[in-house]
Amino acid sequence: MNWGLEVSMTEKEISLNRGLQGVYLDRTQTTFIDGKNGVLEYSGYNIHDLAENSNFEETSYLLMYGKLPNKKQLEVFDKSLKNARKLPEKIYDVIEIVKDSHPMDVLRTAISTLSSFDEDREDFSEEAIIRKGIKLTSQVPMIVMAHYRMRKGLDPIEPSKTLAHASNFLYMLEGEEPTKDTARLMDIDFVVHADHGCNASAFTTRVVTGTNADFYGAITAGIAALSGPSHGGAAEGVMELARDVGKADNAANHVKKLLSNRERVMGFGHRVYKSADPRAKHLKEGVKKLSKEKGQTEWYDILLAVQEAMRPYARRGIHANVDFFAGAVYYLIGIPKDLFVPIFAVGRIPGWTIQILEQMRHNILIRPLLHYTGSREKLYVSIDKRD
Ligand code: ACO
């Protein structure tokens, strides 16, 4: 037992890991990451294999149930996702009230409110958590797109009853079905974002679940953690960077200036990956293809030039991460930049669901320690005697 650790030990005697860097929190059967060699697997399947051959629906099943579905299982799962494309009417009222906030804040508020309408609210069984996860996987894209439309004074677009998840997401933007290539690229984006071990937002969902709080509370907190620029917010920053760079020829000087001012280059670096982020490759290929298709190759050229300028930093383990190319994908599809982080959340619901479930399976309160470095045993001074 480590009673009293907080009060009696010196910094030398404790092992202090700021940011919990390199600390193992628990065991998992879901996502394997080898940051040194740039390997990512969901339930044992390599991300490259999944990005090339699977789709978001199948990958979501894999994450939630720990195995690839057979044909029948996938059909049933897909049907549940499509049937869940409904939002309680009052959620639209909530979105209307907060519609001037950042889309991530709107999403956080709407998800928190959804718990009031969940008939399974008091049910913490595995089946209920999966049911909630499936429902939310379909509802989050609806919230994001309803807000996008409502803040422009437009009516939300009813989701399609037949389109696949990624196509339906893009369909709800302007009511137009995306091309096959664009839909596939969005689908790949959701696959590579579906889970990523104990990152800041997943950790947050586990901390909340550790107190036996409910599913919606955990996801709401996860959304808040994801919204920051050190986590999900980087894709937005990358397109701002690309715009600031202006043209590929300026990239080297621009990057040099940022680094000499000790500023961060958005879309580079990762707490776990010290070699290439395996997810980035799939989005890089997507940007290349899409920018040609749209006749806007300058963005791809700028990103390549920034990557080239950052090459010396690769030796220090700083490589392009998944967000570096994701922003350009969304931009080229025509999605406004403040929806870039919510898109990350759209893809991440299956991952958070399984993280919550794993935490619940052998739950433990997550309660680390803080090493106190202030002064101690001071005498209380009454207010009239203070300076
Ligand atoms: N640009 C410039 N320098 C960087 C960058 C960067 N993007 N990332 C790390 N470094 C440098 C730091 O300045 C630091 O240098 P120093 O040791 O000389 O002070 C060193 O690398 C280590 O940086 P830390 O912040 O300690 O590394 P950590 O692992 O904690 O950071 C993080 C990871 C927060 C993602 C960081 O790389 C960063 O801020 N990147 C930019 C934002 C970004 O792209 N976020 C998306 C992350 S991926 C995701 O969530 C999907």
Side-chain angles (χ1 to χ4, degrees):
M1 282 294 164
N2 55 5
W3 312 117
L5 261 183
E6 249 171 317
V7 290
S8 61
M9 294 179 89
T10 67
E11 201 149 313
K12 267 195 177 158
E13 290 168 307
I14 60 170
S15 111
L16 194 147
N17 283 285
R18 291 199 66 241
L20 299 179
Q21 219 160 345
V23 173
Y24 285 87
L25 171 82
D26 213 325
R27 300 175 184 89
T28 181
Q29 296 274 316
T30 303
T31 294
F32 169 80
I33 305 172
D34 174 352
K36 197 164 155 231
N37 295 303
V39 180
L40 169 63
E41 293 172 5
Y42 297 160
S43 301
Y45 294 93
N46 193 290
I47 196 65
H48 300 311
D49 216 358
L50 293 171
E52 280 156 24
N53 300 307
S54 185
N55 59 32
F56 181 69
E57 286 82 344
E58 186 183 65
T59 298
S60 301
Y61 185 101
L62 171 68
L63 286 169
M64 289 193 202
Y65 294 100
K67 61 183 179 92
L68 283 172
N70 63 29
K71 226 172 167 185
K72 181 78 200 144
Q73 288 164 331
L74 184 58
E75 261 170 40
V76 172
F77 186 74
D78 185 48
K79 203 162 175 210
S80 316
L81 280 169
K82 289 197 171 99
N83 287 341
R85 288 178 187 167
K86 285 180 217 118
L87 280 177
E89 211 42 52
K90 287 209 165 82
I91 293 295
Y92 294 101
D93 299 341
V94 171
I95 296 173
E96 180 64 33
I97 292 168
V98 295
K99 72 177 181 201
D100 293 332
S101 304
H102 188 282
M104 279 302 269
D105 300 344
V106 174
L107 184 59
R108 195 191 60 225
T109 306
I111 291 177
S112 177
T113 313
L114 274 178
S115 76
S116 314
F117 300 98
D118 184 9
E119 60 278 11
D120 276 348
R121 199 166 67 228
E122 306 298 328
D123 191 345
F124 282 58
S125 65
E126 291 226 357
E127 297 71 32
I129 297 300
I130 297 272
R131 258 197 319 271
K132 289 169 211 251
I134 292 173
K135 222 157 103 180
L136 205 59
T137 300
S138 290
Q139 288 174 324
V140 165
M142 290 183 67
I143 295 168
V144 173
M145 287 311 189
H147 171 232
Y148 164 74
R149 306 269 312 166
M150 287 166 69
R151 71 180 177 180
K152 295 204 298 181
L154 300 169
D155 287 335
I157 288 170
E158 280 290 306
S160 153
K161 290 193 169 51
T162 53
L163 288 175
H165 189 83
S167 299
N168 178 53
F169 175 67
L170 294 174
Y171 170 72
M172 289 188 292
L173 191 70
E174 305 296 352
E176 280 165 31
E177 278 189 36
T179 63
K180 214 165 144 224
D181 283 351
T182 305
R184 178 66 191 131
L185 185 52
M186 197 72 242
D187 188 49
I188 292 172
D189 178 86
F190 288 149
V191 168
V192 301
H193 278 97
D195 191 49
H196 206 241
C198 204
N199 52 72
S201 54
F203 176 64
T204 306
T205 65
R206 281 179 176 265
V207 171
V208 176
T209 305
T211 70
N212 289 312
D214 90 316
F215 177 81
Y216 293 94
I219 301 274
T220 302
I223 295 274
L226 179 66
S227 65
S230 295
H231 191 4
E236 209 174 309
V238 173
M239 272 324 279
E240 277 160 20
L241 166 73
R243 235 179 256 130
D244 290 346
V245 169
K247 56 181 182 158
D249 288 349
N250 298 341
N253 275 340
H254 191 90
V255 166
K256 209 165 144 195
K257 207 164 98 197
L258 286 177
L259 294 173
S260 62
N261 291 337
R262 295 201 62 76
E263 284 179 56
R264 300 275 161 129
V265 181
M266 285 291 121
F268 277 83
H270 197 276
R271 175 60 68 81
V272 178
Y273 292 119
K274 299 304 168 194
S275 62
D277 178 338
R279 302 167 297 175
K281 163 182 179 247
H282 298 281
L283 301 181
K284 182 176 182 176
E285 284 164 13
V287 178
K288 188 176 178 186
K289 207 167 156 203
L290 200 59
S291 55
K292 260 198 200 136
E293 203 179 293
K294 302 264 175 191
Q296 296 183 47
T297 49
E298 65 274 24
W299 301 111
Y300 183 65
D301 296 341
I302 291 172
L303 293 184
L304 275 196
V306 171
Q307 201 177 20
E308 186 55 36
M310 286 295 285
R311 196 179 286 280
Y313 285 77
R315 256 180 275 123
R316 291 178 49 193
I318 301 172
H319 297 260
N321 60 49
V322 68
D323 275 348
F324 187 64
F325 292 101
V329 167
Y330 310 148
Y331 175 83
L332 288 163
I333 290 177
I335 298 174
K337 80 174 162 71
D338 63 356
L339 295 196
F340 293 2
V341 204
I343 292 178
F344 195 146
V346 169
R348 189 50 64 87
I349 302 296
W352 285 333
T353 302
I354 186 61
Q355 299 257 357
I356 290 169
L357 206 49
E358 280 196 343
Q359 182 67 33
M360 281 175 54
R361 279 178 187 150
H362 36 93
N363 212 351
I364 182 167
L365 184 73
I366 298 174
R367 203 303 188 189
L369 300 169
L370 284 172
H371 182 54
Y372 178 71
T373 57
S375 50
R376 294 193 47 219
E377 300 187 351
K378 294 187 197 165
L379 284 180
Y380 184 82
V381 182
S382 61
I383 196 157
D384 50 320
K385 294 199 177 124
R386 291 177 212 157
D387 297 334

